[in-house]
Amino acid sequence: MKRTVQAAWTAGVALVLGGALGGCSLSSPPTLQVAGARAGESRAGRSVALIDVVASNPNAKGLPLKGVTYQVDLGGERVFVGQRDAQASVCGFGVQKFTLPVPVSSSYVKGGTTRFRVKGEVTYVAPESLALTMYENGIRSWTTSFSGEGVVGE
């Protein structure tokens, strides 16, 4: 019972402070850049295209990247829409690469001539303690978007 009251009180304080501050974060979002795409593992006519994204953190404190929602076009055709855990954190003033898998037919990733286009959104946690409390209590999350294109394998 005591734990429920404490969680409710914490959520209430975060909500009031979040409303008073407009839910703003004092930190800047990470910048995201698509670094390229390459062919991954291939088996029985199926392959995985791997898209690399580089996150840069302009803040002194680290930014945990939580989730990624993304869509991918290969050869002008939408081949994947999905989401996954980002499985990455970017240290203060640091850079971190993460990879997005795209399961496709092997014909899409042969020969280095298939054009790709990706766009998506990353959910992250701002480094302020109030932001973390708001995120953990489901009150607020922070997102930033990315997009890029190129040729698989170049």
Side-chain angles (χ1 to χ4, degrees):
M1 178 72 172
K2 185 176 184 179
R3 199 171 208 187
T4 304
V5 171
Q6 183 180 13
W9 185 85
T10 302
V13 168
L15 186 60
V16 169
L17 289 175
L21 298 174
C24 294
S25 170
L26 301 174
S27 60
S28 297
T31 57
L32 304 169
Q33 181 177 8
V34 176
R38 64 194 187 294
E41 190 175 313
S42 185
R43 237 185 249 158
R46 300 294 297 166
S47 291
V48 176
L50 301 170
I51 299 176
D52 294 323
V53 180
V54 176
S56 300
N57 181 1
N59 305 292
K61 291 185 178 180
L63 292 174
L65 306 180
K66 293 298 190 182
V68 184
T69 302
Y70 60 109
Q71 61 186 37
V72 179
D73 298 343
L74 290 174
E77 181 181 338
R78 175 80 27 94
V79 295
F80 185 80
V81 176
Q83 61 186 23
R84 64 172 284 127
D85 289 339
Q87 300 176 336
S89 290
V90 189
C91 62
F93 301 120
V95 175
Q96 176 68 46
K97 179 177 85 169
F98 60 95
T99 302
L100 302 174
V102 183
V104 294
S105 167
S106 293
S107 63
Y108 280 109
V109 293
K110 285 186 178 174
T113 59
T114 303
R115 293 204 56 79
F116 77 92
R117 176 176 291 150
V118 61
K119 67 178 182 176
E121 191 172 74
V122 172
T123 302
Y124 67 96
V125 178
E128 295 83 18
S129 58
L130 175 59
L132 180 59
T133 301
M134 293 173 73
Y135 178 82
E136 288 175 343
N137 286 286
I139 297 168
R140 173 100 160 60
S141 62
W142 287 260
T143 59
T144 189
S145 60
F146 65 93
S147 65
E149 58 184 88
V151 175
V152 175
E154 288 190 342

